[in-house]
Amino acid sequence: MNRCVLKRIVKQKNIVKYLYDIEGEWKRYFAVNEEYYIEYDMNIEDIPDSVLSIPFIGNIVVMASLFGAQIQVKDIDKDFLESIPEFMEGYKNMYPELNIDYSQVVSYENVISNSCKKSSTNAMLLFSGGVDAYSSLISHEEEKPLLVTICGADVSSDNENAWQKIIDNNNQTAENHGLPIVTIKSSFRKILRNDLLDEWSFSVAGDNWWYLFHHSVAMMTMTSPYAYTNDIAICYFASTYSVNTGGGYKIASDPSIDNYVKFCGCQIVHDGFEFSRHE
């Protein structure tokens, strides 16, 4: 059986590290010698494992559903657990030709409720600095969203020069708009054999793994510690395509997927779908 067992979550001030075992044929798609870490702009030692397991699961839950695997964890957030079949149904509808089975994709011991206060109006926005993210910033500026920039997504976590340029630009944008900004740095892409996953993805769907299957849920779920500590009720994820794009496109970020992702009382919103890229 294909399986991923999360053995331990290690907390070191602002860094979380995941110790896990991979079993079965899908092991070939993992870079087993790469350390899996996420570095935050805050101390995470008091954050419960049920929250810190969210980004671990989110990074591979689509992959596990595609390859008939199960992710085993001890503690899981209630909101996120309940959202998995809802957002995975979006993938299933997008790729009806693939055998996507999420019925038993996660095994757990304890389900923990980490919901934010119902009165919370706090928001955050995944902010790359690109045109789509900037459009969402302008649309929701009055909400004073926490901007979140992720290193290790479009730019590799070991490309320090490119990363510093992005941070400098995004920090300046945040200052110009009077908004708070945090950064997340992670090896979440490096733990996977993207070359082999791309080969598989091109063979079944005609484009690369990151674009078609990986990026959205993986990136959103990395923000869960900020949702938990800042009592954030909504997280905006800027749209790539538009409602006017027309049918037939396939991408990991879509309203049928993103709008169903939830964790710690926080709802993901696929934002700006009404606009074309030029608009």
Side-chain angles (χ1 to χ4, degrees):
M1 177 183 179
N2 288 336
R3 180 162 44 201
C4 174
V5 181
L6 179 56
K7 298 188 298 181
R8 187 181 170 201
I9 296 176
V10 180
K11 308 170 190 177
Q12 298 176 342
K13 295 184 179 178
N14 64 322
I15 299 175
V16 56
K17 297 181 179 180
Y18 299 102
L19 306 182
Y20 59 97
D21 285 333
I22 304 294
E23 303 171 6
E25 293 181 357
W26 78 326
K27 187 174 182 178
R28 69 189 294 264
Y29 295 110
F30 287 84
V32 292
N33 294 324
E34 286 285 348
E35 182 181 54
Y36 188 0
Y37 73 89
I38 307 176
E39 181 179 340
Y40 291 97
D41 271 359
M42 64 178 180
N43 191 302
I44 51 85
E45 291 177 318
D46 292 333
I47 295 178
D49 286 359
S50 59
V51 175
L52 293 177
S53 70
I54 295 170
F56 180 85
I57 299 167
N59 192 33
I60 59 173
V61 66
V62 178
M63 184 178 172
S65 299
L66 286 163
F67 292 107
Q70 185 177 79
I71 306 165
Q72 295 185 356
V73 300
K74 183 177 180 181
D75 299 332
I76 189 169
D77 174 71
K78 183 177 184 291
D79 288 341
F80 184 58
L81 175 64
E82 293 176 351
S83 78
I84 290 174
E86 297 181 348
F87 69 74
M88 282 308 307
E89 191 66 17
Y91 280 99
K92 192 168 185 177
N93 292 333
M94 187 174 290
Y95 300 99
E97 70 278 13
L98 301 181
N99 181 26
I100 299 180
D101 183 6
Y102 50 83
S103 58
Q104 296 181 322
V105 72
V106 179
S107 170
Y108 51 87
E109 294 181 22
N110 306 306
V111 180
I112 312 295
S113 178
N114 296 296
S115 293
C116 68
K117 300 182 183 69
K118 290 184 179 180
S119 61
S120 174
T121 57
N122 295 337
M124 63 181 164
L125 164 65
L126 280 136
F127 188 73
S128 63
V131 64
D132 48 359
Y134 210 104
S135 174
S136 289
L137 184 158
I138 294 170
S139 297
H140 300 284
E141 187 170 6
E142 74 284 353
E143 298 174 49
K144 299 295 181 183
L146 172 68
L147 305 184
V148 183
T149 299
I150 297 177
C151 174
D154 297 319
V155 175
S156 173
S157 57
D158 56 11
N159 190 339
E160 294 293 341
N161 289 334
W163 173 233
Q164 191 58 52
K165 290 178 182 178
I166 292 170
I167 285 300
D168 289 344
N169 288 337
N170 290 0
N171 283 345
Q172 186 61 58
T173 298
E175 182 178 340
N176 291 344
H177 290 266
L179 298 175
I181 186 169
V182 295
T183 60
I184 299 173
K185 185 177 182 180
S186 178
S187 62
F188 74 113
R189 289 192 69 181
K190 294 179 70 175
I191 69 158
L192 302 177
R193 285 290 308 274
N194 287 278
D195 55 341
L196 297 181
L197 286 167
D198 282 349
E199 185 179 295
W200 177 88
S201 181
F202 270 102
S203 70
V204 301
D207 212 325
N208 70 67
W209 171 259
W210 172 251
Y211 179 78
L212 292 184
F213 297 102
H214 189 195
H215 68 274
S216 61
V217 176
M219 292 175 69
M220 295 171 205
T221 52
M222 274 198 286
T223 69
S224 54
Y226 291 114
Y228 175 79
T229 57
N230 291 278
D231 203 34
I232 288 173
I234 190 167
C235 176
Y236 296 108
F237 195 85
S239 177
T240 299
Y241 287 125
S242 163
V243 67
N244 298 314
T245 300
Y249 72 85
K250 295 181 179 180
I251 187 173
S253 177
D254 185 81
S256 66
I257 297 169
D258 301 351
N259 288 340
Y260 294 91
V261 178
K262 300 175 184 177
F263 44 75
C264 307
C266 180
Q267 168 75 55
I268 301 294
V269 172
H270 184 91
D271 189 60
F273 194 55
E274 65 273 26
F275 300 124
S276 70
R277 202 159 184 82
H278 284 113
E279 289 171 328

